[in-house]
Amino acid sequence: MTTLFKEIADKVEAGVRISEEEALALYRHPNLLEVGELAAAVNRKKNGEKVFFNVNRHINHTNICVNRCRFCAFFRSADEPGGYLLSLDEVRERAEEALAQGATEIHVVGGLHPELPFSWYLELLSTIRAVSPSLHIKAFTAVEIAYLAGLAELSIPQTLERLKEAGLGSLPGGGAEIFAPEVRNQLCPEKISGEQWLAIMEEVHRSGLKSNATMLYGHLESVADRVDHMRRLREVQDRTGGFQVFIPLAFQPEHSELKIAGGGTTGVDDLRTLAVARIYLDNFANVKAYWVMLGEKIAQVSLAFGVNDLDGTVVEERIGHEAGAATPQTMSRDGIISLIRKAGRVPVERDTLYRELRVY
Ligand code: V47
């Protein structure tokens, strides 16, 4: 153990917040297992032996998008082959199927479609809500909220109010990518800025809705950019407390414009990123390993690196899989439970707002 690591570990164990320089030192620390054990200790204090999952289903209503993010293999331009838009009947069928399978959450995100009016999004929400009020609708990234506000010609708070009335329950954490402007401008020049993403999330939290927060890593960014991203999230969280969970998203390099040589993240980088996040983000209750992008095995091992949430059954995932994710489309409830148990931990089914539904 180096002196610097010991100093950081003492601070963390005493419950003192670490600085950005110290987070970078954890990234550089040669002993991954020491960083992992420190993160696991932080998590044990917050969450004990419990590991959360939920039973959910993704619905990606359209892949047609006016933004052309270079890392994204999911989008199609309106005039390109392969574009789709689900009908509201198809959305209803998917929600009914999810309900029959015991889902408590529908996760809805899609492209920024050039032609749909704001009323279509309200109908999308009310269609799902009509299937069952017990289905929580986690929908629309901050990027989509900005776009919908433009369509509706309403302020962000007014837009959120209308969406809430139609059934919106909370927001997922997508669209954050990486906030550092030099990298963001190369990755997704047409997308709202990092500052705008953060400002919209503050409005979301002020409106009484919770949201998640993501970070896309393993592309053009440096580890300093990752720490900068987490710093900005930690600052908003200090003000609002509205983020439920932090979810690092491992870049899937296939079929996008940004196909990086030797691309993709390594298992060591995935585990270290989750562990540093767990230690640095002292004001976040939960850190999620999104198994779709990480693979089930790294997601399972990450439970020894400070992670306490494995997302859900997912059912039909398109964004990661279009970009080459090798994971299955879905994991069964039993599959997730077994994965958690075999890591020596206690599986807990949660709802979208992190209320415990059942301990297994
Ligand atoms: O915003 C796009 C990312 C996000 C790629 O909040 C990619 O609970 C990796 O945000 N490789 C959408 N990632 C997914 C997302 C999410 C997923 C699961 C749970 C939650 C939650 C949120 O996927 C996008 C973008 O950041 N993405 N392309 C890619 N090639």
Side-chain angles (χ1 to χ4, degrees), residues 71 107 138 172-175 177 212 216 247 250 252 288 290 319 323:
F71 57 81
H107 176 155
K138 181 177 84 178
E177 321 316 355
N212 299 342
L216 183 67
I247 315 159
Q252 310 293 307
K288 183 191 283 189
Y290 185 42
I319 298 173

Side-chain angles (χ1 to χ4, degrees), residues 92-110:
R92 183 182 304 107
E93 280 162 25
R94 280 164 169 74
E96 282 168 354
E97 204 178 277
L99 184 69
Q101 288 164 352
T104 58
E105 170 189 292
I106 305 289
H107 176 155
V108 184
V109 290

Side-chain angles (χ1 to χ4, degrees), residues 19 54 96-97 145 156 209 229 260 278-279 312 325 327 335:
S19 67
N54 74 349
E96 282 168 354
E97 204 178 277
I145 296 295
I156 299 289
L209 292 171
H229 188 96
I260 303 208
R278 178 58 292 167
I279 297 165
T327 43

Side-chain angles (χ1 to χ4, degrees), residues 329-340:
Q329 282 285 342
T330 187
M331 206 181 338
S332 66
R333 181 199 299 251
D334 288 350
I336 299 183
I337 291 171
S338 153
L339 190 147
I340 296 170

Side-chain angles (χ1 to χ4, degrees), residues 56 58 71-74 105 107 109 138 141 143 171-177 191 211-217 245 247 249-254 256 288 290 292-293 309 311 314 317 319-320 322-324 350 354:
N56 66 350
H58 286 213
F71 57 81
C72 181
F74 170 66
E105 170 189 292
H107 176 155
V109 290
K138 181 177 84 178
T141 65
V143 177
L171 265 75
E177 321 316 355
K191 195 166 246 173
S211 80
N212 299 342
T214 60
M215 171 179 77
L216 183 67
Y217 70 99
V245 57
I247 315 159
L249 296 171
F251 176 54
Q252 310 293 307
E254 296 300 318
S256 71
K288 183 191 283 189
Y290 185 42
V292 170
M293 308 287 190
D309 186 6
D311 200 78
V314 178
E317 200 283 335
I319 298 173
E322 292 276 335
R350 63 164 173 83
Y354 286 81

